[in-house]
Amino acid sequence: MNNALLQSIQSPADVRRLSRSELHLLAGELRDYLLHSVSQTGGHLSSNLGTVELTIALHKVFDTPNDRIVWDVGHQTYPHKILTGRRDRMGSLRQLGGISGFPRRDESEYDTFGTAHSSTSISAALGMAIGARMKGEHRKAIAVIGDGAMTAGMAFEALNNAGVAGADVLVVLNDNDMSISPPVGALNRYLARLMSGRFYANARDTAKSVLKNAPPLLELARRFESHAKGMVVPGTIFEEFGFNYVGPIDGHDLDALIPTLENLRQLKGPQFLHVVTKKGQGYKLAENDPVAYHGPSKFNPAVGIKPAAPGKPTFTQVFGQWLCDMAEVDTRLVGITPAMREGSGMVEFESRFPGRYHDVGIAEQHAVTFAAGLACEGLKPVVAIYSTFLQRAYDQLIHDVAIQNLPVVFALDRAGLVGADGATHAGNYDIAFLRCIPNMSVMTPADENECRQLLYTAFLQDHPTTVRYPRGKGTGVEVQQAMTAIPFGKGEVRRTASPSTGSHGKRIAILAFGTLLYAALDAAERLDATVANMRFAKPLDGELVAELARSHDALVTIEDGCRMGGAGSAVLEALQEAGIVIPVLLLGLPDQFIEHGDPAVLMSKCGLDAAGIEQAVLKRFGGRPSLVRPAVHQ
C-alpha cells in the first residue's frame, strides 16, 4: 500500500499546498488507506469511501479550522479525521481510549460540532455563521448533510430560518442514494460553475435592483430564472427557501468540486451545493452492497465480508421474527421504522407484508405521531426504534400517544450501552424518561425468549407500551415459538437465599431489571442472595418488592440504565409508599456519558458484571463469612 503523499499530510494546510494533480493522487491513497484501516478495526465504510474527494475539496478550498465544517451524523468523517492529524490513531477507532467514530469537539479543533444523530448540521452551521457575524469575524460555515438526513423536519426548519437570516452559510447536500445521471456531465459541470460564479451572482443582483420598481417584471424574471434552472437542476425547492442552488455535480470529480466551491466561497448569503456521490466508491464489493458494508466488523479487503456463522439469535432477530409471526395472526398490526429497516430487523417483515410496512425516513417525531394516527383508526402500530432515537420524539410520545392513551407498541432496540458507537447512541435513559409518563408501561425482558413473550404481552394491551432490549445476542436460551402472555406487571423469584443465619449475616435480595438478571444470578451464587426477575419497570410489581423487603435485610436493584430516575428509583418510591424502611443499594449506569469501547469491558468498568455486583454488595453490606458462600466451580 503506497501512501507516501498521504503520509506527508499532517493537517489541511498541507492539503492546500498540493497541486490539482497531486490531489488526485492523494484521493487514491486516502481511499486505499481508509479501506485497509477500517478492515482492521471495523467501523463505517461505505459512507466514508463516498466522501473522499468531497473531504479533500472542502479542506483544499476552505481555511479550516477557521472556516467551520459541520458534518451531519458524522459517520462519513474518517477521511476528515485522517487529513486532520489523526491518521496514526485510526488503529484505535471506536475502541476504549481511542478516537471516536463520529466528530467530537474535545478530540480535535477541526471537529467544530459533535454529531452522531442526523439532521443537526444546518442548524449548527447557521448558529456558527450568525455568531461570526455578531462578533464581526469573517469566516465561512459549511454544513455537509446527506440525502437521508434531509428527510427530517429539523433540516427543513433550519433551511427555512437560514433563508431569511441571510447568513453566509453553505449547505452541501451529499446525495448518495442516486446514480450519477446524464445531467451530471460536462454541460452540467459548466452550468454549475457558471451559476456559482461572481458574474452570474452580480448579474442577478443587478437585475433585481433594476427591476425592483417594476414588480411584475421582477416576478417574471424570478420565474424565468427558476424555470430555466429547473430545466437542468432539481433545485427549485431550495431556491424557495432563499438559497442560491448550484448542482448537481459529480462529488468524485475534484476538477468540478474545487472550482465550484471556490466560487461559492466568494458569494454572500445562503448557498446550496448539490453533489452526487456513490457509497462504497472505489471498492467494488461495497459499491455493489453498500448496506452490508455500512458498518462491518473486521474483514479481509481481498475477500470481503464473510457470511455470519449460524448461532444464537440476536434480540433484533427475535423481534423481527415475532413481528412477522404476530402479523400473521393479527391483520391490525402495522410496522413502522424511522429509516432503520435493517438495524431494527424488519427486512423480512417488509418483504412479507409490504402493505403494512412503513419506513417514514429519518423522522422520529413523525413516526410516533403517524403511529398515533393509525391507532386512532383501530390499528395496532409497532414502532421499531432505537432507544437513543426515541429521545428525539419525546414530545410526540407524551402529547400524541400517552395523553390520548393510544395502544402503540414501542420496540426499543439498543437499550443500555451499545459499545463502539459510544455515548451518542447509548440507550441509557429510556427507563427514566419513560416511566414518568402516565399511561406508559415499560417492560425489561431478561433474555431472548422473554423478549418475545413480553412483545406479545405488550401487543395485547390497550395503552402505550415499550419493550426495551439490548444490541447483540443474549444468553442463548431457547426461544419458544408459541406466544404466551406474561402476567402483566408481575415479576418472579429466580433464586432464593438460604434461611437467615442470625445476627452474623444479612439476607440480601437482588432485584434485576432486564438482561443483567444473569450477572445477578452469578453473583448471587457467591453471595447466597435471593434474585428476582422484575420484568416490569412500570408498572412495578409492588407486592413482590414489599414481600422481599419484609423477608430480607437489604435490597439491591440492578439495571443497565441510568441510576438517576431509573428502575431502582421506582423501587425506592414503592418502599416509601408502603412505609417500609430497609437498606437499598442501587446499581446502574453512573451519572456520566459512557465512552465508546467493548460493551463487556464497559459494563465491567461500571461494576455491572457479576464480579462488580458481588464487590458492590460486599462493600455496602460487609464481607461477613456467613454472607458469602464459596464460589461454585463448574
Side-chain angles (χ1 to χ4, degrees):
M1 182 174 62
N2 180 17
N3 55 17
L5 184 58
L6 178 61
Q7 289 182 2
S8 71
I9 304 299
Q10 303 302 320
S11 75
D14 297 322
V15 175
R16 291 189 277 273
R17 285 193 287 266
L18 298 181
S19 65
R20 190 71 61 81
S21 61
E22 289 174 318
L23 292 175
H24 284 283
L25 292 175
L26 177 63
E29 292 186 11
L30 179 54
R31 178 167 281 111
D32 190 47
Y33 181 86
L34 177 66
L35 173 60
H36 285 84
S37 176
V38 174
S39 72
Q40 296 298 311
T41 62
H44 295 100
L45 181 63
S46 297
S47 54
N48 283 289
L49 290 173
T51 58
V52 168
E53 288 82 7
L54 178 59
T55 304
I56 291 173
L58 287 168
H59 283 299
K60 170 68 173 178
V61 172
F62 292 96
D63 182 24
T64 54
N66 180 61
D67 289 333
R68 317 295 201 211
I69 301 177
V70 181
W71 299 88
D72 208 280
V73 182
H75 63 319
Q76 78 281 42
T77 54
Y78 297 0
H80 162 80
K81 288 176 179 279
I82 293 169
L83 295 179
T84 53
R86 287 167 278 183
R87 182 185 69 251
D88 293 339
R89 297 188 64 199
M90 287 297 291
S92 69
L93 183 72
R94 294 162 29 108
Q95 299 170 31
L96 186 63
I99 62 175
S100 170
F102 302 97
R104 286 185 51 159
R105 283 172 53 83
D106 60 0
E107 186 176 291
S108 171
E109 63 179 337
Y110 293 94
D111 292 359
T112 60
F113 195 79
T115 55
H117 290 190
S118 85
S119 315
T120 62
S121 61
I122 305 176
S123 298
L126 177 60
M128 293 173 178
I130 296 293
R133 186 173 69 187
M134 292 177 66
K135 295 191 297 180
E137 298 173 349
H138 299 286
R139 63 165 55 98
K140 293 292 182 179
I142 305 98
V144 184
I145 184 169
D147 55 311
M150 287 297 294
T151 62
M154 185 175 178
F156 284 91
E157 292 171 15
L159 288 173
N160 184 56
N161 186 198
V164 297
D168 293 339
V169 61
L170 168 62
V171 175
V172 179
L173 173 61
N174 177 27
D175 185 347
N176 56 26
D177 195 40
M178 54 179 277
S179 61
I180 300 174
S181 54
V184 186
L187 175 61
N188 202 72
R189 180 192 300 179
Y190 169 75
L191 289 170
R193 293 179 64 177
L194 175 66
M195 288 187 291
S196 66
R198 298 188 66 85
F199 175 80
Y200 174 82
N202 291 338
R204 181 179 57 184
D205 293 341
T206 300
K208 288 180 179 179
S209 177
V210 171
L211 296 175
K212 67 180 180 181
N213 295 320
L217 292 178
L218 179 58
E219 180 60 25
L220 178 63
R222 282 177 176 157
R223 292 188 178 186
F224 176 79
E225 178 188 39
S226 176
H227 287 292
K229 294 175 76 172
M231 287 190 297
V232 292
V233 295
T236 304
I237 185 173
F238 302 110
E239 293 278 1
E240 292 297 330
F241 276 111
F243 281 76
N244 174 44
Y245 174 92
V246 176
I249 64 174
D250 185 346
H252 301 296
D253 185 352
L254 288 169
D255 295 325
L257 282 170
I258 291 175
T260 301
L261 287 170
E262 287 174 340
N263 285 336
L264 288 169
R265 188 170 187 268
Q266 304 303 316
L267 300 182
K268 297 292 185 181
Q271 308 295 321
F272 194 102
L273 175 61
H274 183 174
V275 303
V276 178
T277 62
K278 187 173 185 178
K279 287 184 177 180
Q281 174 73 11
Y283 182 50
K284 289 300 180 183
L285 293 175
E287 290 180 12
N288 295 334
D289 194 352
V291 173
Y293 286 85
H294 171 71
S297 301
K298 298 178 182 180
F299 68 100
N300 182 345
V303 177
I305 300 173
K306 294 182 179 179
K312 55 188 179 182
T314 65
F315 281 91
T316 301
Q317 291 169 334
V318 169
F319 163 74
Q321 186 60 56
W322 169 83
L323 190 67
C324 291
D325 294 346
M326 194 73 240
E328 284 280 8
V329 299
D330 195 327
T331 58
R332 298 174 301 163
L333 186 149
V334 179
I336 301 168
T337 175
M340 297 303 295
R341 181 190 62 175
E342 289 82 11
S344 292
M346 298 182 72
V347 173
E348 183 181 352
F349 179 80
E350 181 199 21
S351 175
R352 291 175 57 184
F353 306 96
R356 294 153 66 184
Y357 167 82
H358 297 275
D359 183 345
V360 301
I362 304 177
E364 293 86 359
Q365 293 170 299
H366 165 59
V368 173
T369 303
F370 172 58
L374 288 167
C376 286
E377 295 302 315
L379 297 170
K380 295 283 286 189
V382 177
V383 181
I385 188 169
Y386 289 8
S387 171
T388 184
F389 296 146
L390 184 60
Q391 297 165 182
R392 310 188 74 182
Y394 196 56
D395 177 66
Q396 288 69 28
L397 192 66
I398 296 173
H399 185 273
D400 300 334
V401 175
I403 287 179
Q404 302 185 96
N405 201 25
L406 295 171
V408 178
V409 176
F410 294 93
L412 265 59
D413 204 327
R414 271 63 167 178
L417 296 180
V418 293
D421 284 338
T424 55
H425 283 63
N428 299 1
Y429 313 108
D430 49 66
I431 295 177
F433 74 64
L434 287 169
R435 75 175 192 85
C436 64
I437 302 175
N439 296 329
M440 180 66 70
S441 295
V442 184
M443 308 182 194
T444 61
D447 52 43
E448 304 94 313
N449 181 60
E450 198 166 82
C451 182
R452 179 179 171 91
Q453 309 313 327
L454 281 175
L455 284 164
Y456 177 60
T457 305
F459 190 79
L460 296 179
Q461 307 309 310
D462 60 358
H463 62 268
T465 55
T466 59
V467 180
R468 70 186 304 269
Y469 47 91
R471 182 178 189 173
K473 300 178 181 180
T475 59
V477 301
E478 181 181 356
V479 179
Q480 300 173 6
Q481 295 308 301
M483 287 184 275
T484 305
I486 289 176
F488 191 73
K490 295 297 181 181
E492 61 172 357
V493 175
R494 292 286 291 266
R495 186 188 189 282
T496 302
S498 302
S500 175
T501 54
S503 59
H504 296 293
K506 288 185 174 70
R507 294 192 78 212
I508 305 294
I510 302 175
L511 284 60
F513 295 84
T515 56
L516 290 181
L517 169 69
Y518 290 93
L521 287 169
D522 286 347
E525 286 297 319
R526 296 169 174 80
L527 297 168
D528 188 19
T530 294
V531 178
N533 174 22
M534 297 304 295
R535 289 176 170 162
F536 293 82
K538 183 183 181 183
L540 184 72
D541 190 343
E543 292 181 359
L544 179 57
V545 171
E547 177 188 330
L548 293 173
R550 293 188 178 106
S551 59
H552 292 75
D553 300 302
L555 301 182
V556 178
T557 69
I558 183 167
E559 59 194 298
D560 61 345
C562 61
R563 284 197 304 261
M564 300 179 70
S569 295
V571 170
L572 292 177
E573 293 162 11
L575 292 169
Q576 187 272 332
E577 290 179 6
I580 298 174
V581 178
I582 185 175
V584 182
L585 171 63
L586 305 186
L587 299 180
L589 296 174
D591 183 28
Q592 65 187 65
F593 294 114
I594 309 298
E595 296 299 317
H596 50 270
D598 179 84
V601 174
L602 295 175
M603 293 296 278
S604 177
K605 289 176 67 68
C606 293
L608 295 179
D609 58 356
I613 297 169
E614 179 184 2
Q615 291 170 12
V617 171
L618 293 176
K619 180 178 179 181
R620 174 67 181 274
F621 301 115
R624 299 180 181 87
S626 56
L627 177 66
V628 186
R629 297 179 68 189
V632 176
H633 298 286
Q634 299 296 326

